[in-house]
Amino acid sequence: MNPVNPWATLCIVTPRLLVRDLAEDDLAAVHAFRADPRVTRFMGFLPETLAESRGWLTEAVGHNRLTPRHAFNFGIVLHSDRRLIGWIGIGQSQRDRAPGTFGLSYMLHSAHHGRGYMTEAARVVVAFGFGVLRGQRVGAWCYAENHASVGVLRKVGLVLQRRYWDEDPTTGQPEECLEFAVSLEEWLAR
């Protein structure tokens, strides 16, 4: 007998968005932003083929189905027309393996940049990480040149922890990176 997955159909509602589990039938929308060079420019991968996007989506949906669940891959959907416009994920950090530490990642189709959608989604996902998942710390990183992402992280309460240089896997060139984080205590004190 298989245990029931308590996270089977997650959906968080915000004033303008539905932040819900990704599904296999999201492929066209997922491919639209994962193939967009204005999005992938700061993601460490080149615009994807449809097959590459399918592989990524299959893996993301697979992570969502694991029991116990260690990663939450959400689609960002507009209330107004039910279109999926981006992805946001939270899960056990790959950079900081301390217990209770979660990593936050996201991407949004460039047609929807500059409207506050990612800030709205990130705010509720960080709250989910602390409130539902009982996290102690949430962290994220971005390239220093990605001013929009820096703004999102600051608006949702993450604080710059350090600057460092890393190689961009798409160009082989050194890129300045910024690491942000917020602890549960800092989050609650806001």
Side-chain angles (χ1 to χ4, degrees):
M1 183 164 136
N2 290 334
V4 174
N5 183 348
W7 309 104
T9 54
L10 271 174
C11 183
I12 304 167
V13 180
T14 75
R16 300 181 296 164
L17 305 170
L18 300 172
V19 180
R20 54 114 172 124
D21 278 337
L22 286 171
E24 286 91 355
D25 60 359
D26 291 327
L27 179 58
V30 165
H31 180 61
F33 59 80
R34 291 187 66 87
D36 183 342
R38 291 167 294 184
V39 174
T40 63
R41 175 176 170 223
F42 293 119
M43 296 305 299
F45 63 88
L46 296 170
E48 291 183 339
T49 65
L50 182 60
E52 290 169 326
S53 294
R54 181 181 292 111
W56 179 87
L57 180 60
T58 298
E59 187 174 326
V61 170
H63 281 290
N64 284 355
R65 291 181 178 153
L66 292 176
T67 304
R69 189 165 170 181
H70 301 290
F72 297 80
N73 293 285
F74 298 117
I76 301 168
V77 178
L78 294 174
H79 271 296
S80 60
D81 61 8
R82 300 293 197 238
R83 271 188 307 149
L84 187 136
I85 60 170
W87 161 81
I88 187 164
I90 190 167
Q92 293 177 336
S93 177
Q94 298 301 308
R95 292 175 175 267
D96 183 346
R97 299 279 189 177
T101 300
F102 295 108
L104 177 73
S105 299
Y106 48 80
M107 62 184 93
L108 186 70
H109 193 287
S110 62
H112 302 283
H113 288 176
R115 299 180 187 174
Y117 293 135
M118 190 52 71
T119 300
E120 190 171 325
R123 191 170 283 127
V124 298
V125 171
V126 170
F128 173 80
F130 287 128
V132 176
L133 301 180
R134 304 282 189 236
Q136 297 301 304
R137 184 172 199 246
V138 173
W141 74 274
C142 64
Y143 291 120
E145 287 188 34
N146 189 348
H147 303 292
S149 195
V150 170
V152 167
L153 294 172
R154 287 185 169 145
K155 287 176 194 171
V156 301
L158 278 73
V159 177
L160 181 64
Q161 304 293 302
R162 72 180 180 115
R163 294 174 180 269
Y164 62 97
W165 289 85
D166 202 359
E167 183 180 299
D168 181 334
T170 63
T171 65
Q173 298 299 309
E175 291 281 343
E176 185 180 17
C177 300
L178 305 175
E179 184 178 319
F180 290 82
V182 62
S183 69
L184 174 60
E185 294 78 24
E186 293 165 333
W187 176 263
L188 292 174
R190 297 181 323 126

